[in-house]
């Protein structure tokens, strides 16, 4: 009998998150105050984020950080998640590679985002806040945050990227069902939103515009904290439950990955699955290759520039050291809404500089082709974001076939696509396109990076 699924017990859910910053040879550069150009302290960050997340953000000394018992208890509602050997996909590709995926789509919210929504809301609650606000793209983060806010008794206000809200109305309904208030961004409810609409009345919105609005709300509302679903170090930290579980499950399977692959928006699901394994590259001389799959239409990892840039369109956030396409970059309206972001997280940006990992760009049509093959073989319809990881995995598996190499490939299935049926419908009807960028486009957008 082939063993397909590797299941952990409740007691095997991690009790600590892994903080790769502590083990990195070159630490990430600090975020800067845009006015003074001085490195930010946890106290500076705590004006917008919970104090605990602010400390985690800048912690470069503790490799292991305790998961609060209340958070771990909520993790047990849907964790541990399965690790699956994708035999049917392997067969369809006729590859000697062994393909495994960690299935983060099994919780009721449908993506990995809940892993960080829970601790972020928990810390706000413990620190006496009553409200949380955030931005969301396709709506996975907004849905996860709305649910987490609801179970910890907080009010949530979510700014959703306007184009995603129109393309995917169901997630805003989910958020409202969990009790959150939802606005399409750019909206007329904030100064930042009004300014953007004045300049460009048809602006489709981006994660950058929505972040500007949520940060403005948090800084102008008492007891309201801002939360973020990606990009920042503490978000990637919370997501390491994925890789820590996968490490135990790969052991059950009797294998160790030669390649670890995840899709890349701001880097949280990538960091979540990759960092626990990368730890063994840093400390134990393992040679695992780490691949982050980004859209061809939003190629910050492969074609962006490493610079200090703003995290949002209006320039409200601290300056972050990252691979960026420029904070004014407007990504094409691809369906992988969660990957339409101009910059990469600070840890990942440093790891790319240090050649610890690399990015690959995938055209939209290739991602849907991969998603459909995965659905037809493994029976799970993947999120359009996750299909980037699947496409990158397929490329690697086909290389193995050509070379007759039996590599072990592990990828993260960051979410399911059951609320993205419009996107699949357009693909199946032949109505989707690729969007590539010329070097001139890239250069022009980089002009918005502050000097
Ligand atoms: C948000 C999201 C992503 C992208 O965000 P990362 O922080 O890069 O992980 C990928 N997949 C799904 C399903 C998402 O919801």
């Amino acid at each position: 009998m082939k063993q397909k699924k590797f299941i952990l017990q409740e007691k095997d859910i991690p009790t600590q998150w892994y903080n790769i910053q502590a083990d990195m040879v070159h630490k990430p550069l600090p975020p800067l105050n845009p006015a003074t150009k001085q490195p930010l302290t946890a106290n500076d960050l705590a004006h917008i984020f919970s104090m605990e997340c602010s400390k985690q953000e800048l912690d470069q000394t503790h490799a292991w950080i305790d998961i609060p018992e209340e958070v771990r208890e909520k993790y047990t509602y849907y964790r541990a998640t399965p690790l699956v050997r994708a035999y049917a996909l392997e067969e369809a590709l006729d590859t000697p590679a062994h393909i495994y995926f960690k299935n983060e789509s099994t919780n009721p919210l449908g993506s990995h985002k809940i892993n960080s929504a829970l601790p972020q809301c928990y810390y706000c609650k413990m620190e006496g806040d009553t409200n949380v606000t955030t931005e969301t793209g396709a709506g996975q983060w907004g849905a996860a945050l709305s649910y987490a806010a609801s179970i910890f008794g907080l009010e949530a206000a979510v700014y959703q990227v306007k184009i995603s809200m129109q393309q995917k109305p169901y997630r805003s309904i989910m958020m409202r069902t969990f009790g959150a208030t939802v606005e399409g961004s750019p909206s007329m409810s904030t100064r930042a939103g009004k300014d953007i609409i004045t300049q460009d009345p048809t602006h489709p919105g981006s994660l950058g515009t929505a972040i500007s609005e949520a940060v403005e709300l948090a800084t102008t509302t008492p007891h309201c904290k801002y939360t973020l679903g990606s990009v920042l170090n503490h978000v990637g930290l919370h997501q390491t439950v994925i890789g820590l579980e996968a490490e135990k499950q790969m052991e059950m399977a009797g294998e160790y990955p030669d390649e670890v692959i995840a899709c890349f928006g701001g880097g949280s699901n990538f960091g979540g699955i990759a960092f626990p394994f990368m730890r063994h590259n840093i400390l134990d001389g393992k040679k695992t290759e780490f691949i982050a799959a980004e859209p061809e239409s939003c190629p910050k990892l492969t074609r962006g520039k490493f610079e200090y840039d703003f995290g949002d369109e209006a320039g409200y956030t601290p300056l972050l050291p990252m691979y960026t396409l420029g904070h004014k970059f407007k990504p094409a309206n691809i369906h992988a809404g969660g990957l339409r972001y101009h910059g990469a997280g600070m840890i990942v940006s440093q790891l790319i500089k240090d050649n610890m990992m690399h990015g690959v760009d995938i055209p939209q049509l290739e991602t849907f082709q991969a998603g459909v093959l995965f659905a037809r073989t493994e029976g799970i319809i993947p999120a359009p974001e996750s299909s980037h990881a699947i496409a990158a995995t397929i490329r690697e598996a086909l290389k193995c076939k050509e070379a007759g190499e039996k590599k072990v490939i592990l990828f993260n299935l960051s979410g399911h696509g059951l609320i993205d049926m419009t996107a699949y419908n357009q693909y199946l009807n032949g109505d989707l396109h690729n969007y590539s960028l010329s070097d001139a486009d890239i250069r022009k957008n980089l002009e918005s990076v502050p000097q």
Side-chain angles (χ1 to χ4, degrees):
M1 260 286 275
K2 289 182 187 174
Q3 189 177 1
K4 189 167 162 63
K5 252 159 99 190
F6 301 88
I7 305 287
L8 294 174
Q9 304 302 309
E10 214 170 279
K11 66 175 172 43
D12 300 315
I13 297 171
T15 55
Q16 296 180 308
W17 294 300
Y18 172 58
N19 176 22
I20 195 171
Q21 292 196 78
D23 289 332
M24 284 168 71
V25 179
H26 301 121
K27 308 296 182 197
L29 297 173
L32 301 181
N33 178 321
T36 63
K37 304 286 186 312
Q38 291 303 304
L40 290 175
T41 63
N43 280 328
D44 297 326
L45 292 174
H47 291 301
I48 25 180
F49 300 103
S50 68
M51 190 65 209
E52 198 55 37
C53 288
S54 302
K55 285 188 197 154
Q56 291 172 355
E57 185 64 24
L58 300 176
D59 189 333
Q60 300 191 331
T61 46
H62 303 96
W64 298 98
I65 292 177
D66 288 343
I67 301 175
E69 199 39 59
E70 292 84 340
V71 172
R72 193 172 176 276
E73 179 196 310
K74 302 293 187 281
Y75 279 169
T76 65
Y77 292 3
Y78 64 95
R79 306 201 70 83
T81 63
L83 179 88
V84 182
R85 171 90 182 263
Y87 284 112
L89 179 64
E90 288 171 18
E91 223 162 89
L93 297 170
D94 188 25
T95 175
H98 291 186
I99 302 175
Y100 292 84
F101 65 93
K102 179 73 167 157
N103 190 352
E104 288 295 310
S105 80
T106 55
N107 70 78
L109 287 309
S111 85
H112 68 284
K113 297 274 188 351
I114 187 68
N115 298 329
S116 184
L118 288 169
Q120 291 194 52
C121 285
Y122 169 78
Y123 291 130
C124 286
K125 183 72 180 177
M126 293 312 285
E127 294 172 17
D129 292 311
T130 52
N131 292 60
V132 285
T133 182
T134 196
E135 83 299 326
T136 193
Q140 287 105 330
W141 169 245
L145 186 81
S146 302
Y147 167 67
S150 153
I151 58 171
F152 285 115
L154 300 164
E155 294 273 335
V158 180
Y159 290 93
Q160 181 168 22
V161 176
K162 203 179 270 174
I163 178 78
S164 300
M165 195 171 177
Q166 289 160 358
Q167 284 177 342
K168 302 171 188 202
Y170 290 124
R171 283 218 185 77
S172 62
I173 302 171
M174 281 176 75
M175 293 180 239
R176 287 165 49 217
T177 304
F178 291 127
T181 307
V182 189
E183 290 237 42
S185 174
S187 80
M188 294 298 279
S189 72
T190 62
R191 183 73 259 156
K194 284 179 196 164
D195 288 347
I196 295 163
I197 290 174
T198 307
Q199 288 209 340
D200 180 358
T202 61
H203 198 302
S206 65
L207 287 173
T209 67
I211 293 172
S212 303
E213 294 202 83
V215 169
E216 183 179 323
L217 185 75
T219 50
T220 54
T221 311
H223 303 294
C224 177
K225 285 284 159 38
Y226 171 65
T227 62
L228 192 59
S230 183
V231 183
L232 291 179
N233 301 339
H234 65 269
V235 186
L237 171 76
H238 303 154
Q239 294 296 350
T240 57
V241 287
I242 302 172
L244 292 167
E245 284 180 8
E247 201 185 330
K248 292 183 189 164
Q249 290 162 308
M250 289 300 302
E251 221 167 274
M252 288 165 77
E255 303 213 82
Y256 191 87
D258 298 304
E259 297 185 345
V260 175
I261 298 175
C263 66
F264 196 96
S268 79
N269 94 90
F270 174 84
I273 191 145
F275 294 167
F277 290 99
M278 201 178 283
R279 169 170 180 262
H280 299 295
N281 278 28
I282 300 172
L283 302 178
D284 312 324
K286 289 274 191 199
K287 297 272 188 282
T288 300
E289 195 181 333
F290 298 91
I291 304 174
E294 63 182 1
E296 180 192 34
S297 56
C298 195
K300 63 236 174 197
L301 300 178
T302 54
R303 299 172 73 192
K305 218 170 137 192
F306 184 84
E307 291 283 357
Y308 270 100
D309 195 7
F310 291 107
D312 67 321
E313 176 134 353
Y316 284 179
T317 68
L319 286 169
L320 307 174
M322 59 186 186
Y323 277 90
T324 178
L325 294 164
H327 64 281
K328 301 274 189 208
F329 178 73
K330 277 186 221 157
N333 298 337
I334 55 165
H335 278 285
L339 309 186
R340 297 175 73 242
Y341 183 68
H342 68 273
M346 293 179 278
I347 292 177
V348 163
S349 293
Q350 185 63 45
L351 292 170
I352 289 191
K353 271 183 84 175
D354 292 344
N355 285 320
M356 298 292 292
M357 57 173 284
H358 66 96
V360 288
D361 296 344
I362 320 261
Q364 176 160 256
L365 292 177
E366 185 180 339
T367 69
F368 275 89
Q369 192 182 7
V372 166
L373 177 64
F374 187 73
R376 290 177 188 176
T377 48
E378 298 298 324
I380 302 169
I381 298 180
E385 290 87 355
S386 315
S387 293
H388 288 69
I390 299 170
T393 298
I394 291 174
R395 284 187 187 182
E396 293 302 310
L398 292 177
K399 277 188 216 161
C400 287
K401 178 181 176 181
E402 225 161 80
E405 248 182 312
K406 198 199 92 177
K407 282 190 179 168
V408 176
I409 305 175
L410 167 64
F411 78 86
N412 193 40
L413 184 74
S414 54
H416 69 65
L418 293 178
I419 301 186
D420 303 282
M421 287 297 107
T422 318
Y424 279 90
N425 188 37
Q426 286 181 7
Y427 171 71
L428 296 168
N429 291 340
D431 292 338
L432 285 189
H433 308 283
N434 289 331
Y435 299 91
S436 57
L437 290 157
S438 69
D439 289 341
D441 292 334
I442 301 260
R443 263 198 311 277
K444 184 162 164 294
N445 280 292
L446 282 171
E447 285 167 11
S448 71
V449 177
Q451 294 306 307

